[in-house]
Amino acid sequence: FGFLRGFIVEEDLVRSLASMSAKERIKAIQKLPETMRKRREIRNKVLKEITEKSRHRGAQPSCCTQCLQGAAVSFRRFGNTLSEYFHLLRIWQKALKIIGAEFGTSVLSYFVFLKWLLNFNLFSFLINFGFITIPQFLAAEPNNLSFTGLELFTGAGYFQKTVLYYGFYTNATISKIENGPTYNMQLAYIFTVGIYFVICFLILLFSMAKSFYRNFINPQAYSGNASKLLCTWDFNISNEKAVKLKQKNLSTQIKEGLTEVNKEVLDFSVMERVLRIAVHLLAWVASLGTAAAACTGVYFLSINNLELFMKGHRNDLESQAAMLVLPVIASLLNTLLPFFFSWLGHLEKFQTPGQHICVTIIRVTILKMSIIGILCYYWLNIVATSESQCWETLVGQDIYRLVLVDFVFCLLGSFFGEFLRRIIGTTVCVNLGLPEFDIGRNVLDLIYAQTLTWIGILFSPLLPGIQMIAFLIVFFVKKVSLMRNCQPPHKVWRTAQMMTFFMFLLFCPSFLGVLSVTGVTLWRLKPSEGCGPFRGLSSMYAAVSEWIQILESYTASKWVVWIYHNLITSELFFFILSSIVLIVTYLYWQIIEGRKTVTKRLHEQLIN
């Protein structure tokens, strides 16, 4: 009787779902408290029920109607199957769950940030490839240079005459059909890069706002650990491995929350405070002095690198190897000095791991952004004014080498910093034990690589594709190295705010600095006379000014001219827009402060 009752209930459920609209039916099936396999069975029964109803409804439908209905049902089933397979192909979902369960949210935040940057570069590559590279293929000239294999490391030689670099792109209007549609490469190049940066700005801004709201403003952040303990378990989980993984993940989250609740507030004497302040000051002086010395070395090395290139770049092994000296030294400094900064942090003995990581990140940020700033000064003030035939391609090659060597050093860092450290800690010096995953150093490596990619987009449009492949390899190498070589942090701590901090560092100073460099390149610097889409112009932005002058002669395009003169080039418009944004931000900040106060009072009442 129990089986019969269950069968009748399921039949009633199938009939009720079949009578719903497609959207309501999908939502209802998703909310069923059943396993995924059972939901798929119910969905297939509903589709079968809908097909039978349509056959017996009214008169016998025509052959054409039957074919259309059968095709619609088949297409819907194919779409559902395809979405299931795409869900299985999200290769990092299982890896992220395992990392979160084994090592906590502090280490997980690095891999989530890496996955986010990977998607970011995929979007950038698709835009550049679609609007810049594909049209250039239609007007491309044959490449007469020979490929030796060294180009993969130096970016020079054969690659100079390919779509990888700015200098290969034409300044002509592309048209394959006589009297047919044309494609202005100058406008396509500058508008693609400009619109991409606008989209990046909005994505970063909204991502930071969303992360800030979720981690700092959302009242659920004040709900304590009771909701995690009582309301987090997913009763649809039936697989034994998934159950154990969920248990580990929940256990780690509760430990992180209890660590914050039981956080000790240390009371230091006056002498201890003075000693701690002196140690902090000495550590900051040492870190800033080291960063200044590194930047000085990179500057003089870059000057010698340009002189070597201008004397005549032969294609022999010696000259090819000389091109790699600058990126190798820069990457060596970016790899070794963060270990020194991390050692300084251990000497300072911070009260929480979060303070140690934040201070280390700030110091490494100063180092990496200073080195990038010195390199940008070298490219925009020395290389751009040199006698090079195509200085944009030269800058693109420098950035290509920096990205490639930084990727190699990132892999070597996993080998020497984690694998060999595990061997030493388990065989030679057992007291050291297994290493912990250095979140600050690894995150800053990602931000440094993404900053180089943003700077290089103007000079090498396909650079995001190269960086995307590098990030994909780094994800799996770091994941394997973490699982095999590292141990979970000794001090478990919650780091929900770390993702917001990472995005803020990516936005400022990284992205805002890139916007400044790109603005100077577009408005101030004179393009090369013999290469690139902007050859012969006073500046890259002059292509837009000439286009607006042409539009002024067409009555139908007057609105574009009005927007350009009254909005885009108007300082008053941007002043008013900035004022409105600041006022709205201030109002939202006051609302947020009020909500936090109310939430805090309600939380105190709940405790009482």
Side-chain angles (χ1 to χ4, degrees):
F1 283 106
F3 171 76
L4 184 62
R5 189 183 301 115
F7 179 77
I8 295 172
V9 169
E10 185 174 321
E11 287 293 317
D12 293 338
L13 176 63
V14 169
R15 290 195 194 95
S16 63
L17 289 172
S19 62
M20 297 180 182
S21 64
K23 192 173 182 180
E24 292 175 347
R25 184 165 59 249
I26 291 171
K27 287 184 177 179
I29 292 175
Q30 288 176 347
K31 291 180 180 179
L32 289 175
E34 302 288 348
T35 62
M36 288 298 296
R37 184 181 297 175
K38 186 66 176 177
R39 291 179 192 175
R40 292 191 190 103
E41 291 177 2
I42 293 173
R43 183 195 63 198
N44 293 332
K45 288 181 180 179
V46 170
L47 292 175
K48 188 177 179 182
E49 178 77 15
I50 293 171
T51 307
E52 290 176 356
K53 276 186 177 181
S54 62
R55 286 176 182 172
H56 299 292
R57 189 181 297 151
Q60 183 72 19
S62 63
C63 180
C64 182
T65 306
Q66 288 182 0
C67 290
L68 289 174
Q69 289 175 350
V73 173
S74 300
F75 182 76
R76 192 179 303 149
R77 286 178 177 173
F78 174 74
N80 291 331
T81 307
L82 201 63
S83 65
E84 290 171 9
Y85 280 114
F86 272 122
H87 183 74
L88 293 174
L89 287 175
R90 295 174 68 182
I91 48 181
W92 43 69
Q93 286 300 109
K94 184 178 179 181
L96 292 177
K97 289 180 180 179
I98 294 172
I99 292 168
E102 295 286 344
F103 296 89
T105 56
S106 57
V107 177
L108 178 64
S109 61
Y110 165 79
F111 288 90
V112 172
F113 186 61
L114 176 55
K115 187 196 79 168
W116 190 77
L117 287 179
L118 186 65
N119 295 330
F120 217 83
N121 282 282
L122 175 62
F123 166 72
S124 173
F125 171 74
L126 292 176
I127 285 182
N128 290 349
F129 188 76
F131 292 99
I132 298 178
T133 306
I134 291 179
Q136 177 60 33
F137 281 132
L138 301 176
E141 299 177 356
N143 190 348
N144 298 322
L145 298 176
S146 59
F147 182 77
T148 61
L150 289 172
E151 292 87 349
L152 294 173
F153 300 98
T154 64
Y158 179 83
F159 286 158
Q160 291 181 1
K161 299 296 183 181
T162 62
V163 291
L164 183 60
Y165 293 121
Y166 163 94
F168 183 71
Y169 289 84
T170 182
N171 64 335
T173 301
I174 301 172
S175 177
K176 281 296 180 182
I177 305 174
E178 190 175 352
N179 298 325
T182 60
Y183 196 83
N184 192 320
M185 181 55 76
Q186 288 183 344
L187 296 178
Y189 203 100
I190 195 169
F191 279 142
T192 300
V193 173
I195 292 172
Y196 166 73
F197 277 120
V198 170
I199 294 173
C200 284
F201 178 81
L202 295 176
I203 290 175
L204 281 172
L205 207 60
F206 281 108
S207 298
M208 279 196 305
K210 185 179 178 182
S211 182
F212 183 81
Y213 174 80
R214 185 171 59 247
N215 296 320
F216 289 91
I217 302 167
N218 194 353
Q220 291 180 2
Y222 299 93
S223 62
N225 295 299
S227 61
K228 285 183 183 176
L229 188 62
L230 302 175
C231 310
T232 306
W233 189 257
D234 185 0
F235 289 93
N236 290 326
I237 299 175
S238 58
N239 184 273
E240 186 178 354
K241 288 184 179 179
V243 169
K244 290 182 179 178
L245 187 61
K246 185 69 176 178
Q247 287 174 344
K248 274 189 176 181
N249 211 325
L250 183 58
S251 172
T252 306
Q253 290 180 22
I254 293 174
K255 285 179 185 176
E256 292 169 352
L258 290 175
T259 303
E260 288 195 348
V261 173
N262 300 325
K263 185 168 59 178
E264 295 182 6
V265 179
L266 301 177
D267 188 16
F268 297 104
S269 63
V270 176
M271 283 300 298
E272 288 175 335
R273 290 179 183 176
V274 171
L275 184 61
R276 286 177 65 84
I277 292 172
V279 171
H280 289 319
L281 287 175
L282 286 174
W284 275 105
V285 169
S287 60
L288 293 176
T290 307
C295 292
T296 305
V298 169
Y299 175 74
F300 285 108
L301 189 63
S302 60
I303 298 296
N304 293 332
N305 183 66
L306 181 63
E307 291 176 356
L308 179 67
F309 185 85
M310 296 304 297
K311 285 179 181 178
H313 44 284
R314 304 179 305 277
N315 287 326
D316 58 351
L317 186 61
E318 183 182 353
S319 60
Q320 295 282 336
M323 294 180 182
L324 295 172
V325 173
L326 176 61
V328 166
I329 296 299
S331 297
L332 199 62
L333 291 171
N334 281 321
T335 302
L336 296 180
L337 290 183
F339 287 106
F340 172 66
F341 294 159
S342 182
W343 177 73
L344 288 177
H346 286 296
L347 290 181
E348 292 175 276
K349 295 181 180 179
F350 291 100
Q351 294 186 32
T352 64
Q355 291 177 353
H356 182 192
I357 287 178
C358 287
V359 171
T360 304
I361 284 178
I362 291 171
R363 288 170 180 167
V364 179
T365 301
I366 293 172
L367 169 70
K368 291 181 180 287
M369 292 302 118
S370 301
I371 290 177
I372 290 179
I374 290 294
L375 290 172
C376 288
Y377 176 82
Y378 157 68
W379 291 326
L380 301 184
N381 291 277
I382 299 175
V383 177
T385 57
S386 65
E387 298 177 358
S388 174
Q389 185 180 1
C390 189
W391 65 266
E392 294 92 347
T393 296
L394 185 59
V395 173
Q397 291 174 3
D398 273 344
I399 297 175
Y400 173 88
R401 288 190 286 268
L402 283 165
V403 168
L404 184 67
V405 174
D406 179 72
F407 166 67
V408 172
F409 270 78
C410 184
L411 299 183
L412 291 176
S414 295
F415 178 77
F416 289 103
E418 293 163 4
F419 175 70
L420 289 186
R421 170 70 172 75
R422 175 178 70 87
I423 298 297
I424 295 171
T426 53
T427 57
V428 180
C429 187
V430 184
N431 293 331
L432 290 175
L434 294 174
E436 292 185 10
F437 189 77
D438 194 336
I439 303 169
R441 177 176 57 83
N442 284 285
V443 165
L444 265 297
D445 287 342
L446 297 181
I447 294 177
Y448 173 77
Q450 186 60 42
T451 306
L452 288 176
T453 305
W454 277 333
I455 296 173
I457 280 177
L458 192 63
F459 309 105
S460 179
L462 297 185
L463 198 61
I466 298 171
Q467 192 63 270
M468 177 184 65
I469 297 171
F471 279 160
L472 188 63
I473 296 172
V474 166
F475 183 93
F476 289 104
V477 170
K478 290 290 184 183
K479 182 242 178 184
V480 171
S481 177
L482 176 73
M483 302 302 293
R484 292 177 178 265
N485 301 323
C486 299
Q487 63 175 336
H490 286 300
K491 296 182 179 179
V492 182
W493 56 290
R494 191 171 63 90
T495 178
Q497 294 85 6
M498 289 301 291
M499 192 66 184
T500 309
F501 185 49
F502 297 160
M503 287 185 181
F504 177 76
L505 286 177
L506 189 65
F507 182 77
C508 177
S510 176
F511 184 74
L512 294 183
V514 171
L515 286 183
S516 304
V517 172
T518 306
V520 170
T521 307
L522 292 176
W523 270 274
R524 296 289 181 87
L525 299 183
K526 182 178 175 60
S528 299
E529 294 288 343
C531 70
F534 303 103
R535 66 189 80 173
L537 298 177
S538 58
S539 66
M540 294 183 183
Y541 187 74
V544 179
S545 302
E546 291 181 0
W547 178 61
I548 293 296
Q549 290 177 1
I550 294 172
L551 290 181
E552 287 177 350
S553 59
Y554 296 97
T555 308
S557 303
K558 291 291 184 182
W559 62 276
V560 179
V561 179
W562 186 89
I563 290 174
Y564 176 78
H565 288 300
N566 294 280
L567 297 182
I568 296 177
T569 60
S570 173
E571 294 86 357
L572 179 63
F573 169 74
F574 285 102
F575 175 76
I576 295 173
L577 185 65
S578 302
S579 301
I580 293 172
V581 170
L582 289 174
I583 291 171
V584 171
T585 304
Y586 176 76
L587 290 175
Y588 268 101
W589 182 261
Q590 292 300 314
I591 293 171
I592 288 165
E593 290 297 316
R595 286 178 177 176
K596 287 172 72 175
T597 304
V598 172
T599 306
K600 187 177 179 182
R601 289 178 180 173
L602 290 172
H603 185 59
E604 291 174 353
Q605 290 178 12
L606 286 173
I607 293 173
N608 291 333

